[in-house]
Coordinates of all heavy atoms in Angstrom, one line a residue:
G13 N -76.9 -59.6 -82.9 CA -77.1 -60.6 -84.0 C -75.9 -61.3 -84.5 O -75.9 -61.9 -85.6
A14 N -74.8 -61.2 -83.8 CA -73.5 -61.7 -84.2 C -73.4 -63.2 -83.9 O -74.1 -63.6 -83.0 CB -72.3 -60.9 -83.7
D15 N -72.5 -63.9 -84.4 CA -72.1 -65.3 -84.1 C -70.9 -65.2 -83.2 O -69.9 -65.0 -83.7 CB -71.9 -66.1 -85.3 CG -73.0 -66.2 -86.3 OD1 -74.1 -66.8 -85.9 OD2 -73.0 -65.7 -87.4
P16 N -71.1 -65.4 -81.9 CA -69.9 -65.2 -81.0 C -68.7 -66.2 -81.3 O -69.0 -67.5 -81.1 CB -70.5 -65.3 -79.6 CG -72.0 -65.1 -79.8 CD -72.3 -65.6 -81.2
V17 N -67.6 -65.8 -81.7 CA -66.4 -66.6 -81.8 C -65.3 -65.9 -81.0 O -65.0 -64.8 -81.4 CB -65.9 -66.7 -83.3 CG1 -64.7 -67.5 -83.4 CG2 -67.1 -67.4 -84.1
I18 N -64.9 -66.5 -79.9 CA -63.9 -65.8 -79.0 C -62.6 -66.4 -79.4 O -62.4 -67.7 -79.2 CB -64.3 -66.1 -77.6 CG1 -65.7 -65.6 -77.3 CG2 -63.3 -65.3 -76.7 CD1 -66.1 -64.2 -77.6
R19 N -61.7 -65.6 -79.9 CA -60.4 -66.1 -80.4 C -59.2 -66.0 -79.4 O -58.8 -64.9 -79.1 CB -60.0 -65.3 -81.7 CG -61.1 -65.4 -82.7 CD -60.9 -64.2 -83.7 NE -61.8 -64.2 -84.8 CZ -63.1 -63.7 -84.9 NH1 -63.6 -63.3 -83.7 NH2 -63.8 -63.8 -85.9
G20 N -58.7 -67.1 -78.9 CA -57.6 -67.2 -78.0 C -57.5 -66.5 -76.7 O -56.6 -66.3 -76.1
R21 N -58.8 -66.3 -76.1 CA -58.8 -65.7 -74.8 C -60.2 -65.9 -74.2 O -61.1 -66.6 -74.8 CB -58.7 -64.2 -74.9 CG -59.8 -63.6 -76.0 CD -59.6 -62.0 -76.1 NE -60.5 -61.6 -77.2 CZ -61.8 -61.4 -77.1 NH1 -62.4 -61.6 -75.9 NH2 -62.5 -61.0 -78.1
L22 N -60.4 -65.6 -73.0 CA -61.7 -65.6 -72.3 C -62.5 -64.5 -72.8 O -62.0 -63.5 -73.3 CB -61.5 -65.5 -70.8 CG -61.3 -66.8 -70.0 CD1 -60.0 -67.5 -70.4 CD2 -61.3 -66.5 -68.5
P23 N -63.9 -64.6 -72.8 CA -64.7 -63.5 -73.3 C -64.5 -62.4 -72.3 O -64.3 -62.6 -71.1 CB -66.1 -64.1 -73.2 CG -66.0 -65.3 -72.3 CD -64.6 -65.8 -72.5
Y24 N -64.5 -61.2 -72.8 CA -64.4 -60.0 -71.9 C -65.5 -59.9 -70.9 O -66.7 -60.0 -71.2 CB -64.4 -58.7 -72.8 CG -63.1 -58.4 -73.5 CD1 -63.0 -58.3 -74.9 CD2 -62.0 -58.1 -72.7 CE1 -61.9 -58.0 -75.5 CE2 -60.8 -57.8 -73.4 CZ -60.7 -57.8 -74.7 OH -59.5 -57.5 -75.4
A25 N -65.1 -59.7 -69.6 CA -66.0 -59.2 -68.6 C -65.8 -57.9 -68.3 O -66.7 -57.1 -67.9 CB -65.9 -60.2 -67.4
G26 N -64.5 -57.5 -68.3 CA -64.1 -56.1 -68.1 C -63.2 -55.7 -69.3 O -63.5 -56.0 -70.4
R27 N -62.1 -55.0 -69.0 CA -61.1 -54.6 -70.1 C -60.0 -55.6 -70.2 O -59.2 -55.4 -71.2 CB -60.6 -53.3 -69.9 CG -61.7 -52.1 -70.2 CD -61.1 -50.8 -70.1 NE -61.9 -49.7 -70.6 CZ -62.9 -49.2 -69.9 NH1 -63.1 -49.7 -68.6 NH2 -63.8 -48.3 -70.4
E28 N -59.8 -56.4 -69.2 CA -58.5 -57.2 -69.1 C -58.6 -58.4 -70.2 O -59.6 -59.1 -70.3 CB -58.4 -57.8 -67.8 CG -57.1 -58.6 -67.6 CD -56.9 -59.1 -66.2 OE1 -57.8 -58.9 -65.4 OE2 -55.9 -59.7 -66.0
W29 N -57.6 -58.6 -71.0 CA -57.4 -59.7 -71.9 C -56.8 -60.9 -71.1 O -55.7 -60.8 -70.4 CB -56.4 -59.4 -73.0 CG -56.0 -60.5 -73.9 CD1 -55.3 -61.6 -73.6 CD2 -56.3 -60.6 -75.3 NE1 -55.2 -62.4 -74.7 CE2 -55.8 -61.8 -75.8 CE3 -56.9 -59.8 -76.3 CZ2 -55.8 -62.2 -77.1 CZ3 -57.0 -60.2 -77.6 CH2 -56.4 -61.4 -78.0
V30 N -57.5 -62.0 -71.1 CA -57.0 -63.3 -70.4 C -56.9 -64.3 -71.5 O -57.9 -64.7 -71.9 CB -58.0 -63.6 -69.2 CG1 -57.4 -64.9 -68.5 CG2 -58.1 -62.5 -68.2
D31 N -55.7 -64.9 -71.6 CA -55.5 -65.9 -72.6 C -56.2 -67.2 -72.2 O -56.3 -67.6 -71.1 CB -54.0 -66.2 -72.7 CG -53.1 -65.1 -73.2 OD1 -53.5 -64.4 -74.1 OD2 -52.1 -64.8 -72.5
L32 N -56.6 -67.9 -73.2 CA -57.3 -69.2 -73.1 C -56.3 -70.3 -73.6 O -56.2 -70.4 -74.8 CB -58.7 -69.2 -73.8 CG -59.4 -70.6 -73.8 CD1 -59.6 -71.1 -72.4 CD2 -60.6 -70.5 -74.6
F33 N -55.7 -70.9 -72.6 CA -54.8 -72.0 -73.0 C -55.4 -73.3 -72.7 O -56.3 -73.5 -71.9 CB -53.5 -71.9 -72.2 CG -52.6 -70.7 -72.6 CD1 -52.1 -69.9 -71.5 CD2 -52.4 -70.4 -73.9 CE1 -51.3 -68.8 -71.8 CE2 -51.5 -69.4 -74.2 CZ -51.0 -68.6 -73.2
M34 N -54.9 -74.4 -73.3 CA -55.3 -75.8 -73.0 C -54.2 -76.5 -72.3 O -54.0 -77.7 -72.4 CB -55.6 -76.5 -74.4 CG -56.8 -75.8 -75.1 SD -58.4 -76.0 -74.2 CE -58.8 -77.6 -74.8
F35 N -53.3 -75.8 -71.6 CA -52.2 -76.3 -70.9 C -51.7 -75.4 -69.9 O -52.0 -74.2 -69.8 CB -51.0 -76.7 -71.9 CG -50.7 -75.6 -72.9 CD1 -50.1 -74.4 -72.4 CD2 -51.2 -75.7 -74.2 CE1 -49.9 -73.4 -73.4 CE2 -50.9 -74.7 -75.1 CZ -50.3 -73.6 -74.7
D36 N -51.0 -76.0 -68.9 CA -50.2 -75.1 -67.9 C -48.8 -75.0 -68.3 O -48.3 -75.9 -68.9 CB -50.4 -75.8 -66.5 CG -51.8 -75.8 -66.0 OD1 -52.6 -74.9 -66.2 OD2 -52.2 -76.9 -65.3
I37 N -48.2 -73.8 -68.0 CA -46.8 -73.6 -68.3 C -46.0 -73.7 -67.1 O -46.2 -72.9 -66.1 CB -46.7 -72.4 -69.1 CG1 -47.6 -72.2 -70.2 CG2 -45.2 -72.1 -69.5 CD1 -47.7 -70.8 -70.8
H38 N -44.9 -74.4 -67.2 CA -44.0 -74.5 -66.0 C -42.5 -74.4 -66.5 O -42.1 -74.7 -67.6 CB -44.2 -75.9 -65.4 CG -45.5 -76.2 -64.7 ND1 -45.9 -75.6 -63.5 CD2 -46.5 -76.9 -65.2 CE1 -47.2 -76.0 -63.3 NE2 -47.5 -76.8 -64.3
H39 N -41.7 -73.8 -65.5 CA -40.3 -73.6 -65.8 C -39.6 -74.1 -64.5 O -40.1 -73.9 -63.4 CB -39.9 -72.2 -65.9 CG -40.3 -71.7 -67.3 ND1 -39.4 -71.8 -68.4 CD2 -41.3 -71.0 -67.8 CE1 -39.9 -71.3 -69.5 NE2 -41.1 -70.8 -69.1
T40 N -38.5 -74.7 -64.7 CA -37.7 -75.2 -63.5 C -36.6 -74.3 -63.2 O -36.4 -73.9 -61.9 CB -37.0 -76.6 -63.9 OG1 -38.0 -77.5 -64.3 CG2 -36.2 -77.2 -62.8
Y41 N -35.8 -73.7 -64.1 CA -34.7 -72.9 -63.8 C -34.9 -71.4 -64.3 O -34.2 -70.5 -63.9 CB -33.4 -73.4 -64.5 CG -33.0 -74.8 -64.1 CD1 -33.3 -75.9 -65.0 CD2 -32.6 -75.1 -62.9 CE1 -33.0 -77.2 -64.6 CE2 -32.2 -76.4 -62.5 CZ -32.5 -77.5 -63.3 OH -32.2 -78.7 -62.9
C42 N -35.9 -71.2 -65.1 CA -36.2 -69.9 -65.7 C -37.4 -69.3 -65.1 O -38.3 -70.0 -64.5 CB -36.3 -69.9 -67.2 SG -34.8 -70.5 -68.0
S43 N -37.6 -68.0 -65.2 CA -38.9 -67.4 -64.7 C -39.1 -66.0 -65.3 O -38.2 -65.6 -66.0 CB -38.7 -67.1 -63.1 OG -37.6 -66.2 -62.8
M44 N -40.2 -65.4 -65.1 CA -40.6 -64.1 -65.8 C -41.3 -63.3 -64.7 O -42.2 -63.8 -64.0 CB -41.5 -64.3 -66.9 CG -41.5 -63.0 -67.8 SD -42.8 -61.8 -67.3 CE -44.2 -62.5 -68.1
R45 N -40.9 -62.1 -64.6 CA -41.6 -61.2 -63.6 C -41.9 -59.9 -64.4 O -41.2 -59.5 -65.3 CB -40.7 -60.9 -62.4 CG -39.5 -60.1 -62.6 CD -38.8 -59.8 -61.3 NE -37.7 -58.8 -61.5 CZ -36.4 -59.1 -62.0 NH1 -36.1 -60.4 -62.1 NH2 -35.6 -58.2 -62.1
T46 N -43.0 -59.2 -63.9 CA -43.4 -57.9 -64.5 C -43.4 -56.9 -63.5 O -43.9 -57.1 -62.4 CB -44.8 -58.1 -65.2 OG1 -44.8 -59.2 -66.1 CG2 -45.3 -56.8 -65.7
E47 N -42.9 -55.7 -63.9 CA -43.0 -54.5 -63.0 C -43.5 -53.3 -63.8 O -43.2 -53.2 -64.9 CB -41.6 -54.2 -62.5 CG -40.8 -55.3 -61.8 CD -39.4 -55.0 -61.6 OE1 -38.6 -55.3 -62.5 OE2 -39.0 -54.4 -60.6
E48 N -44.4 -52.5 -63.1 CA -45.0 -51.4 -63.8 C -44.6 -50.1 -62.9 O -44.9 -50.1 -61.6 CB -46.5 -51.5 -63.9 CG -46.8 -52.5 -65.0 CD -48.4 -52.5 -65.2 OE1 -49.0 -51.5 -64.8 OE2 -48.9 -53.5 -65.8
T49 N -44.1 -49.1 -63.5 CA -43.8 -47.8 -62.8 C -43.8 -46.7 -63.8 O -43.2 -46.8 -64.9 CB -42.5 -47.9 -62.1 OG1 -42.2 -46.7 -61.4 CG2 -41.3 -48.4 -63.0
D50 N -44.4 -45.6 -63.5 CA -44.3 -44.3 -64.2 C -44.7 -44.6 -65.7 O -44.0 -44.1 -66.6 CB -43.0 -43.7 -64.2 CG -42.6 -43.3 -62.7 OD1 -43.5 -42.9 -62.0 OD2 -41.4 -43.4 -62.3
G51 N -45.8 -45.3 -65.9 CA -46.2 -45.5 -67.3 C -45.3 -46.4 -68.1 O -45.4 -46.6 -69.4
M52 N -44.4 -47.2 -67.5 CA -43.6 -48.2 -68.1 C -43.8 -49.6 -67.5 O -44.0 -49.8 -66.3 CB -42.1 -47.9 -68.0 CG -41.7 -46.5 -68.4 SD -41.9 -46.2 -70.2 CE -40.5 -47.1 -70.8
R53 N -43.8 -50.6 -68.4 CA -43.9 -52.0 -67.9 C -42.8 -52.7 -68.4 O -42.4 -52.8 -69.6 CB -45.2 -52.6 -68.5 CG -45.5 -54.0 -67.9 CD -46.8 -54.6 -68.3 NE -46.8 -54.8 -69.8 CZ -47.9 -54.9 -70.5 NH1 -49.0 -54.7 -69.9 NH2 -47.8 -55.3 -71.8
I54 N -42.0 -53.3 -67.5 CA -40.9 -54.1 -67.8 C -41.1 -55.5 -67.5 O -41.4 -56.0 -66.3 CB -39.6 -53.6 -66.9 CG1 -39.5 -52.1 -67.2 CG2 -38.3 -54.4 -67.3 CD1 -38.3 -51.4 -66.3
E55 N -41.0 -56.4 -68.5 CA -41.0 -57.9 -68.4 C -39.6 -58.4 -68.4 O -38.9 -58.2 -69.3 CB -41.8 -58.4 -69.5 CG -43.3 -57.9 -69.5 CD -44.0 -58.2 -70.7 OE1 -43.5 -58.6 -71.8 OE2 -45.3 -58.0 -70.7
T56 N -39.2 -59.0 -67.3 CA -37.9 -59.6 -67.1 C -37.9 -61.1 -67.2 O -38.5 -61.7 -66.4 CB -37.2 -59.1 -65.9 OG1 -37.1 -57.7 -65.9 CG2 -35.8 -59.6 -65.7
Y57 N -37.2 -61.6 -68.2 CA -37.1 -63.1 -68.3 C -35.7 -63.6 -67.7 O -34.7 -63.1 -68.2 CB -37.2 -63.5 -69.7 CG -38.5 -63.3 -70.3 CD1 -38.9 -62.0 -70.8 CD2 -39.5 -64.3 -70.4 CE1 -40.1 -61.7 -71.4 CE2 -40.8 -64.0 -70.9 CZ -41.1 -62.8 -71.4 OH -42.3 -62.5 -71.9

């Protein structure tokens, strides 16, 4: 009986959070990569 208001993301289908943007993001000279190992996640800009 709730009023569904989904804030800043797609509605959950599983457990993953997926952002809901109104634009695409592009970089020319910069980038970001993600690595996961042994319970650690490293985001390198």
Side-chain angles (χ1 to χ4, degrees):
D15 299 295
V17 177
I18 310 299
R19 303 158 174 85
R21 56 180 172 79
L22 273 62
Y24 280 117
R27 285 185 171 81
E28 184 180 3
W29 174 296
V30 180
D31 297 314
L32 175 57
F33 292 132
M34 299 292 280
F35 43 75
D36 296 322
I37 305 170
H38 297 283
H39 285 276
T40 302
Y41 303 106
C42 299
S43 63
M44 192 277 272
R45 70 177 189 275
T46 301
E47 304 168 272
E48 290 186 15
T49 177
D50 298 328
M52 305 295 285
R53 185 174 70 204
I54 302 174
E55 297 166 347
T56 302
Y57 294 82

